[in-house]
Amino acid sequence: MKITLSQLEQHLLTAADILRGKMDASEFKEYIFGMLFLKRVSDQFDVEQETIRARWTKQKLSEKKIAELLNDPTQYGDTFFVPERARWKNILVLHDNVADELNKALGTLEEHNQELSGVLKHIDFLAQIGSKRKVKDAQLVDLIHHFDKYRLTNDDFEFPDLLGAAYEYLIKDFADSAGKKGGEFYTPAHVVRLLVRLLKPQARMFVYDPTCGSGGMLIQSKQYLDETGQDARNIALYGQDNNGTVWAICKMNMSLHNINDAQIENEDTLQAPQFIEKNYIKKFDRVIANPPFSQNYTRASMEYPQRFRYGFAPETGKKADLMFVQHMIASLKDDGMMATVMPHGVLFRGGIEKAIREGIINDDIVEAIISLPQHLFYGTGIPACIMVINKQKEKDTRGKILFINADAEYGEGRNQNFLRPEDIEKIDHVFTNKLDVLKYSRLVDLAEIKRNDYNLNIRRYVDNSPAPEIEDVKAHLEGGIPKREITLYESQFKKYKTKSSDFFDDINADYAKFKSDVGERGDIKELVETHEGIRTVKRQASKALDGWWAEAQKKIEKFPKNNHVAEFRRKEIVSFKDILGDIKALDDFQKAAVFVNWWEGVRYDLKAIVTVGWSSSLIPDDYVKKAFFEKELLEIESIEISIANIQEALVGLVEDVEMDGEDEEEKTVKAVKSYLKDQIDDLEAVGKENAKKEAEKLQLVLDDIKDKEAKLKETKRTLKMKEAELGNKVGAKETSFTEAEARELILQKFFDGIHSQLDRYLTAEVKEIITALESCWDKYQVPLSAIESERGKNVKALSKFLSQLGYIK
């Protein structure tokens, strides 16, 4: 069975958990990276060694000669040569001096592979904090044995780049754990994806990241070629980073993604750019970066200062941002493009920075400025934007800059916000087609920017602030809902074949009231959701989806051993939007969002289908249970209902027991049983007949509680046993699926996924109608006149009551 992405991700997270404790991820991440790298290269070396052995055995060489050749590094081509000390079989038996032996293993591996020079030496398993080792030998032994659970060769993976994808997942987990320090080596993948989509790298291009961190931007640039049906081998990747540890992580990352030809250098980009051609910095087709925000720099000993032809920003005051921009511009070919993340300050700060900005704008190479949501990045809440530079702008965009204000559209995470697939799709679509979208984007003439004194503050050109909310004083005082406010919602009503008269009756020419069906606020939701227009739209959307899927699944069925994934993605998003063309409840951006959110969830599955076919590992257990074990599911459901009934009866018994004082507030089963036992003991000690009878009554209650407790325990034990039996049956079925059975369930999973996405967006639009109507209710349903009238009635009632008591006359 091939290793799945989810299995490997969990495997790596569990490995990290072995070392978690008082250390944070920034301290132990290199140990996990080092161990993973050691296991991977050793496993792949073993495979290559057997291939070489088989080749020479077939040519009838002697065992002695074959042994010599197997220890010759030149025999292994692109595969790293692993010396004896670093081979996993020898690592696995370590039990004494484990940290020292691991250091030596990494050292000898580096010595025998020139391309690893300097990459592994920073990993020190003997490192200490104070007088204590960071990681004990016992932990390292546990880590070694954990990594031994899976063989990590290309042949073991569900799709070719699975290890690279899992490694990226691990880097993200470490960045999440490291907090602010995470930003030193990791740019969130969703931001990287956006930058790559904007630049659209092509085959035969040279791509450069001057502050490459762990290499995510370069890797995704290469993956973009694969995702768009190009030859991903035909791209040249260059990166540089000033941090030695981060540089080493990047080198390992490239290797784990099977990228062996990337050129990654370790040096300060502003001080000493490392890629030189014809006595000047090398020029690239695409430059992509997320430089460190707000840094200082020094001009002393700076190489190639002519890069900064627009001027030198102040060396202090943390204003190196535009120095990075200038280096990137200088690194572009005459027809090159770049996209970089920048703090908003570079768009409007004065002084020398303004002079630099003015020069760049006047050269007409700024293609777009894109505002990003806050809190996307690790360790900084500074508002960020993307600056896109194009040295060969299209004719119709010359003399103009596209501003996109995307800061209000994002997903909310626990610690950080993130760009959803739909947000990336929208930004890319608007950028690529240079669209003007109300309160979102605008193509602005340079003349207007010059009139604004070269200020690129995005809100000057695209203000996405919401319109002020209407507050009708007369309606607040006397009642009624202003029609001018209702009119604002007509476009939303129209999307779902509804109109304002479906929800309101006229009072006069200017005001309306809710229909008589709406007696209270809660009635609004039911009135909307049961409206025939809304039901009709949902039926039409579902029918359209069925039509699209009927054709789409035929194409997916041809995927095994045929990599048509990129073509499918490119064509089907267009087809999907077209077939939903008559569904006005969603705009084109929302229709695209349905598709891209679904795509994000299935793309790795589709890669796996291309590689290994209709694997049962792609089928969630719930689908297997529903398809083949309905009887068992019904039995488990019946047991769960029994447990719920017993628990309800037990709660009822406990609630019926009257406890004295504070005990009444803590009516746990244990507390009530203890209370009843104490009461029974006290009553029996009295010895009187009445007390004895009362004790017997309480004993019956206590026995009933104990009986239900025992029954609940037994029923839960039965449930656990039945669930285990079902789990075993599911496991057995997963090894005996026919191809037809697996294909049917996987396709059903895919369809359910896109159906769920479509329903989510349609439901969100319905909620918009409900929210609008509820807002009208909250604002105007109870006017001041009604409040005063009710207050008057309450005052009269209170006065009458006080008069009856004799307090007032």
Side-chain angles (χ1 to χ4, degrees):
M1 184 77 74
K2 301 277 188 178
I3 303 172
T4 67
L5 180 58
S6 60
Q7 285 174 332
L8 190 53
E9 287 174 346
Q10 187 57 50
H11 177 65
L12 295 179
L13 288 183
T14 304
D17 288 340
I18 293 172
L19 298 188
R20 287 190 210 274
K22 295 182 180 179
M23 287 190 296
D24 63 34
S26 65
E27 294 179 287
F28 70 74
K29 65 180 184 300
E30 59 261 33
Y31 301 142
I32 301 297
F33 292 151
M35 195 74 78
L36 172 64
F37 188 76
L38 193 59
K39 179 67 163 70
R40 159 66 175 177
V41 297
S42 185
D43 286 352
Q44 197 60 43
F45 172 82
D46 289 344
V47 171
E48 188 64 24
Q49 190 175 63
E50 288 307 308
T51 301
I52 294 169
R53 181 189 297 278
R55 182 169 69 245
W56 292 124
T57 300
K58 189 175 182 180
Q59 295 187 26
K60 302 190 182 304
L61 268 65
S62 68
E63 282 297 318
K64 183 179 179 182
K65 185 61 178 175
I66 291 174
E68 285 181 23
L69 291 168
L70 291 178
N71 283 300
D72 178 4
T74 64
Q75 293 287 314
Y76 289 84
D78 290 336
T79 301
F80 289 114
F81 178 79
V82 181
E84 189 72 28
R85 187 168 208 156
R87 292 175 191 173
W88 191 254
K89 63 182 180 181
N90 297 320
I91 300 297
L92 191 58
V93 297
L94 293 177
H95 53 83
D96 293 323
N97 302 317
V98 180
D100 186 45
E101 289 298 323
L102 285 172
N103 281 352
K104 290 174 180 176
L106 291 176
T108 189
L109 179 62
E110 187 174 307
E111 288 170 13
H112 282 78
N113 297 274
Q114 179 61 35
E115 53 270 55
L116 292 179
S117 178
V119 173
L120 304 175
K121 66 181 180 182
H122 75 284
I123 303 174
D124 181 9
F125 288 98
L126 284 168
Q128 295 185 204
I129 300 177
S131 60
K132 293 184 179 180
R133 287 247 309 271
K134 279 186 177 183
V135 183
K136 297 177 182 178
D137 276 359
Q139 288 176 290
L140 293 175
V141 170
D142 289 344
L143 194 62
I144 290 166
H145 285 277
H146 176 77
F147 270 105
D148 192 54
K149 290 179 181 178
Y150 291 118
R151 194 179 74 151
L152 302 178
T153 74
N154 294 339
D155 294 335
D156 296 303
F157 302 140
E158 203 170 44
F159 56 86
D161 194 31
L162 183 138
L163 181 60
Y167 185 76
E168 286 285 325
Y169 179 82
L170 184 63
I171 291 177
K172 180 187 181 301
D173 179 73
F174 285 158
D176 287 342
S177 302
K180 185 175 181 178
K181 292 180 181 178
E184 295 176 4
F185 60 89
Y186 183 74
T187 298
H190 47 88
V191 177
V192 177
R193 193 169 300 123
L194 173 59
L195 291 168
V196 172
R197 288 280 294 274
L198 296 172
L199 290 179
K200 300 174 177 54
Q202 303 297 305
R204 296 185 295 280
M205 281 188 173
F206 288 76
V207 179
Y208 171 49
D209 183 347
T211 55
C212 63
S214 59
M217 294 195 182
L218 297 174
I219 290 167
Q220 284 209 36
S221 294
K222 185 180 181 73
Q223 290 172 340
Y224 179 82
L225 267 65
D226 182 54
E227 291 168 2
T228 52
Q230 303 178 68
D231 184 356
R233 296 168 299 179
N234 197 2
I235 189 171
L237 304 178
Y238 293 76
Q240 182 170 335
D241 201 278
N242 190 38
N243 184 307
T245 299
V246 172
W247 166 80
I249 291 172
C250 180
K251 294 278 282 187
M252 286 189 282
N253 198 6
M254 293 293 164
S255 176
L256 294 173
H257 278 85
N258 298 309
I259 302 173
N260 299 317
D261 56 355
Q263 298 191 42
I264 311 296
E265 298 296 338
N266 178 206
E267 187 52 88
D268 186 318
T269 295
L270 295 183
Q271 285 294 116
Q274 293 297 291
F275 302 111
I276 309 302
E277 193 171 79
K278 297 178 181 178
N279 297 317
Y280 190 55
I281 59 172
K282 183 177 176 63
K283 301 297 184 76
F284 299 90
D285 299 286
R286 296 288 186 268
V287 178
I288 182 171
N290 176 22
F293 286 3
S294 306
Q295 300 286 300
N296 291 324
Y297 77 101
T298 177
R299 291 176 65 175
S301 70
M302 179 181 280
E303 299 176 16
Y304 306 101
Q306 61 269 44
R307 289 174 284 164
F308 309 104
R309 70 185 190 87
Y310 298 106
F312 287 87
E315 294 177 65
T316 58
K318 297 185 176 182
K319 293 182 179 179
D321 306 299
L322 286 176
M323 299 299 288
F324 281 109
V325 170
Q326 290 187 81
H327 168 76
M328 288 182 258
I329 292 172
S331 299
L332 283 176
K333 292 181 179 179
D334 290 341
D335 60 349
M337 278 183 72
M338 61 167 267
T340 181
V341 179
M342 281 282 124
H344 271 235
V346 303
L347 303 177
F348 53 78
R349 286 197 293 250
I352 298 174
E353 287 182 288
K354 181 196 169 188
I356 294 171
R357 186 169 64 248
E358 186 174 331
I360 296 171
I361 291 170
N362 284 334
D363 277 355
D364 194 17
I365 58 176
V366 181
E367 183 165 15
I369 304 291
I370 302 166
S371 181
L372 295 174
Q374 289 192 350
H375 304 299
L376 294 182
F377 299 94
Y378 294 95
T380 179
I382 298 174
C385 65
I386 294 172
M387 181 181 289
V388 183
I389 300 288
N390 189 344
K391 284 193 172 180
Q392 196 172 69
K393 291 162 73 171
E394 295 291 331
K395 187 176 181 180
D396 57 352
T397 61
R398 290 173 193 162
K400 299 176 181 179
I401 296 176
L402 178 68
F403 287 85
I404 298 176
N405 194 343
D407 64 9
E409 300 184 11
Y410 57 90
E412 293 183 357
R414 186 176 60 183
N415 298 318
Q416 290 173 263
N417 297 327
F418 59 92
L419 295 175
R420 302 163 297 185
E422 65 208 70
D423 304 322
I424 296 169
E425 184 72 21
K426 183 175 181 179
I427 293 169
D428 178 43
H429 183 77
V430 169
F431 169 79
T432 302
N433 296 284
K434 303 299 183 288
L435 301 178
D436 276 9
V437 178
L438 182 65
K439 291 196 171 188
Y440 187 80
S441 63
R442 186 160 77 91
L443 201 56
V444 179
D445 288 330
L446 290 187
E448 182 178 346
I449 293 168
K450 291 174 183 178
R451 287 197 301 272
N452 282 319
D453 201 22
Y454 295 92
N455 189 319
L456 297 178
N457 190 322
I458 296 166
R459 284 187 181 267
R460 277 181 177 258
Y461 307 102
V462 184
D463 188 354
N464 61 359
S465 302
E469 187 174 354
I470 293 174
E471 295 292 351
D472 189 295
V473 176
K474 183 178 180 182
H476 281 307
L477 294 174
E478 300 177 6
I481 301 165
K483 289 186 177 179
R484 64 192 178 106
E485 188 163 344
I486 295 171
T487 301
L488 297 177
Y489 307 131
E490 284 290 1
S491 60
Q492 191 71 20
F493 296 152
K494 190 176 180 181
K495 287 182 180 181
Y496 266 108
K497 302 183 185 297
T498 61
K499 51 189 182 299
S500 58
S501 59
D502 295 333
F503 309 113
F504 300 100
D505 287 329
D506 288 347
I507 295 176
N508 53 42
D510 297 320
Y511 293 91
K513 62 181 179 180
F514 277 102
K515 283 193 168 295
S516 57
D517 294 344
V518 183
E520 55 187 38
R521 191 178 190 271
D523 294 335
I524 293 172
K525 186 172 184 288
E526 183 180 359
L527 178 64
V528 173
E529 290 180 342
T530 58
H531 192 286
E532 187 55 35
I534 288 172
R535 289 178 169 178
T536 298
V537 170
K538 287 193 170 185
R539 283 195 297 268
Q540 289 173 341
S542 183
K543 184 177 179 181
L545 178 63
D546 290 342
W548 174 79
W549 180 249
E551 297 303 315
Q553 74 169 2
K554 293 176 185 176
K555 297 171 184 176
I556 296 174
E557 286 173 353
K558 297 176 182 177
F559 277 10
K561 309 304 178 187
N562 296 294
N563 193 354
H564 301 311
V565 175
E567 180 184 10
F568 181 90
R569 166 68 166 79
R570 185 176 67 254
K571 291 182 176 179
E572 289 308 312
I573 188 171
V574 177
S575 171
F576 184 80
K577 289 194 291 185
D578 286 346
I579 207 163
L580 290 177
D582 292 335
I583 308 302
K584 305 303 181 186
L586 304 179
D587 62 28
D588 282 348
F589 292 124
Q590 290 170 312
K591 290 165 187 172
V594 172
F595 183 90
V596 296
N597 277 292
W598 170 74
W599 182 260
E600 188 65 19
V602 303
R603 62 192 181 103
Y604 284 126
D605 283 358
L606 295 175
K607 283 186 176 184
I609 290 169
V610 170
T611 306
V612 299
W614 304 100
S615 170
S616 62
S617 64
L618 301 178
I619 307 170
D621 286 352
D622 286 347
Y623 279 77
V624 181
K625 292 173 185 177
K626 189 174 179 180
F628 299 102
F629 302 105
E630 187 176 356
K631 179 183 174 183
E632 288 83 351
L633 281 177
L634 289 172
E635 186 176 4
I636 286 173
E637 183 182 347
S638 176
I639 295 170
E640 289 173 337
I641 291 171
S642 296
I643 288 172
N645 290 337
I646 296 168
Q647 287 175 327
E648 185 179 353
L650 188 56
V651 168
L653 283 171
V654 168
E655 289 297 321
D656 286 343
V657 174
E658 294 184 4
M659 297 172 66
D660 299 328
E662 295 180 0
D663 291 339
E664 187 70 28
E665 297 176 6
E666 298 182 6
K667 276 191 173 180
T668 63
V669 174
K670 183 178 179 180
V672 169
K673 283 166 59 181
S674 177
Y675 173 80
L676 288 173
K677 187 176 184 307
D678 289 344
Q679 290 294 103
I680 292 167
D681 290 343
D682 290 346
L683 288 167
E684 288 178 344
V686 172
K688 293 183 179 180
E689 190 63 28
N690 288 345
K692 184 178 178 182
K693 288 182 179 180
E694 185 62 28
E696 288 172 353
K697 288 180 184 179
L698 294 180
Q699 187 65 51
L700 287 174
V701 175
L702 180 59
D703 290 343
D704 201 1
I705 289 173
K706 288 180 177 180
D707 179 60
K708 284 183 170 51
E709 261 195 316
K711 191 174 181 181
L712 181 62
K713 186 176 181 181
E714 181 60 32
T715 309
K716 285 183 175 180
R717 187 183 296 115
T718 301
L719 176 64
K720 189 174 182 180
M721 180 185 69
K722 291 295 182 183
E723 287 176 335
E725 289 175 358
L726 179 55
N728 292 334
K729 289 180 179 179
V730 169
K733 180 60 186 175
E734 286 173 349
T735 63
S736 62
F737 267 109
T738 66
E739 181 179 302
E741 288 173 336
R743 181 175 62 245
E744 181 181 351
L745 289 183
I746 292 168
L747 289 172
Q748 184 62 50
K749 181 183 77 167
F750 290 166
F751 175 73
D752 290 346
I754 198 161
H755 186 278
S756 174
Q757 289 292 340
L758 178 60
D759 185 65
R760 182 166 71 91
Y761 277 85
L762 291 171
T763 299
E765 289 302 305
V766 173
K767 285 182 179 177
E768 287 289 319
I769 296 175
I770 295 171
T771 299
L773 296 178
E774 288 178 340
S775 175
C776 290
W777 177 282
D778 294 339
K779 288 166 67 175
Y780 302 117
Q781 188 63 22
V782 183
L784 180 61
S785 57
I787 295 172
E788 289 181 333
S789 175
E790 184 65 24
R791 177 179 173 276
K793 291 178 183 177
N794 291 333
V795 168
K796 285 182 180 179
L798 178 60
S799 297
K800 182 179 179 181
F801 178 67
L802 292 174
S803 177
Q804 289 172 345
L805 292 175
Y807 288 106
I808 60 175
K809 295 182 180 180

